Amino acid sequence: MKPSAILAALAISATPAVHARDTIATDRPDFVESSNVVGRSRLQVETSLLLERDRSGPARERLVATPTLLRYGVGDSFELRVETDGHLDGRHTEPGLREKARGYADTSLGLKWHALDADGSLPSVGVLLHADLDSGSRAFRGQGVRPSLRVVGEWELASDYSLGVMPGVGMEGDEGGRYRYGILGVVVGKSFNERLRGFVEVAMPQIAKGKHGGTQASFDIGGAYLLSDTVQLDAMFSRGLNSRTPDTAFTVGFSFKL
């Protein structure tokens, strides 16, 4: 999700591509989405708490958000999606200045298509089309409707490892007008047992020219634990890889499937 200061914390692509229909497979906490859909007439709720911190010279910024994703299956291969970073509490401090901003993030409407099951060396493939709407509070509202398209490929590897790759493109707006940006995420996951999974990834939610905020990149590490086949707890720590990305981010999440 944009704005660019927020590292969305979505997807656990360590989930095997071939999964029992009644077992939860989430699109969090990592950046790379899962290629799976939730299944016909199933509702899945993925919610979390996110804390970001950034420092640039004497200036410090902190952001607390509540990213939430609702997924509803309209068939065996499609799902409808409503996503938001929820309630936002931002603070900016530097010598002699303290600013606060509270409100709600924009909402995104989307569709996911599970296009291909894994078969031999072929990956499980998902296609995601989203549109961020300028629906949030003034302090956090984007400019107009901002579409994005992402394609996810997931491979199951030996020794319970997995690989996920997610390229994409999107459109955003700033003071210089509308611009296109690239998206890329690569994640390596490991299933330790039937309940516990972990991952490491490199996430680039925006690949753009410097005049539009430049490229954002982070290194993420985290995992997820299944309390039951339909309830999951997860966590992720993120470290920014350049000055355009928040220094650190930490998220904890709770997801369930009905």
Side-chain angles (χ1 to χ4, degrees):
M1 293 283 294
K2 311 270 297 177
S4 61
I6 301 173
L7 286 177
L10 308 173
I12 179 113
S13 299
T15 304
V18 179
H19 219 286
R21 286 292 183 185
D22 290 334
T23 302
I24 192 169
T26 65
D27 278 355
R28 58 161 297 109
D30 56 325
F31 174 72
V32 178
E33 308 277 2
S34 165
S35 64
N36 294 300
V37 292
V38 296
R40 184 186 302 271
S41 300
R42 303 301 296 271
L43 174 65
Q44 189 160 303
V45 179
E46 304 177 17
T47 190
S48 61
L49 178 67
L50 170 68
L51 172 63
E52 283 185 354
R53 292 185 182 275
D54 193 30
R55 181 174 181 176
S56 178
R60 289 180 172 85
E61 294 189 4
R62 190 205 73 176
L63 179 72
V64 179
T66 56
T68 299
L69 170 64
L70 305 179
R71 305 166 59 187
Y72 182 76
V74 293
D76 293 332
S77 300
F78 291 90
E79 69 180 31
L80 300 177
R81 301 159 62 86
V82 180
E83 187 174 5
T84 178
D85 280 317
H87 185 266
L88 304 176
D89 184 342
R91 297 184 183 183
H92 174 91
T93 60
E94 56 185 278
L97 177 66
R98 180 185 296 267
E99 297 178 328
K100 296 181 181 181
R102 291 188 177 93
Y104 291 90
D106 287 346
T107 296
S108 175
L109 303 180
L111 175 70
K112 182 194 279 192
W113 171 38
H114 178 72
L116 185 68
D117 289 331
D119 184 12
S121 61
L122 295 177
S124 175
V125 176
V127 180
L128 297 97
L129 178 63
H130 275 230
D132 288 6
L133 310 178
D134 53 348
S135 56
S137 302
R138 180 175 299 180
F140 302 103
R141 187 182 306 161
Q143 298 185 14
V145 178
R146 291 96 66 203
S148 64
L149 175 67
R150 290 163 289 168
V151 178
V152 184
E154 292 181 295
W155 289 263
E156 294 185 49
L157 308 177
S159 301
D160 295 320
Y161 282 93
S162 62
L163 171 67
V165 179
M166 185 180 73
V169 293
M171 183 168 288
E172 186 57 64
D174 60 16
E175 295 178 354
R178 304 278 281 183
Y179 67 91
R180 290 183 294 272
Y181 64 93
I183 301 167
L184 181 62
V186 179
V187 62
V188 176
K190 167 70 173 178
S191 294
F192 297 103
N193 54 48
E194 293 182 353
R195 298 292 182 186
L196 180 63
R197 304 185 299 274
F199 67 88
V200 294
E201 74 172 351
V202 174
M204 289 182 281
Q206 175 173 287
I207 304 171
K209 295 180 179 179
K211 65 180 180 180
H212 295 303
T215 296
Q216 301 161 21
S218 67
F219 175 79
D220 309 330
I221 183 169
Y225 181 78
L226 294 178
L227 296 177
S228 71
D229 286 345
T230 57
V231 180
Q232 175 182 288
L233 296 177
D234 61 61
M236 182 183 77
F237 176 79
S238 178
R239 178 71 178 177
L241 296 178
N242 59 28
S243 61
R244 303 181 183 96
T245 311
D247 292 336
T248 60
F250 179 71
T251 180
V252 291
F254 175 73
S255 304
F256 60 91
K257 183 175 183 178
L258 301 175

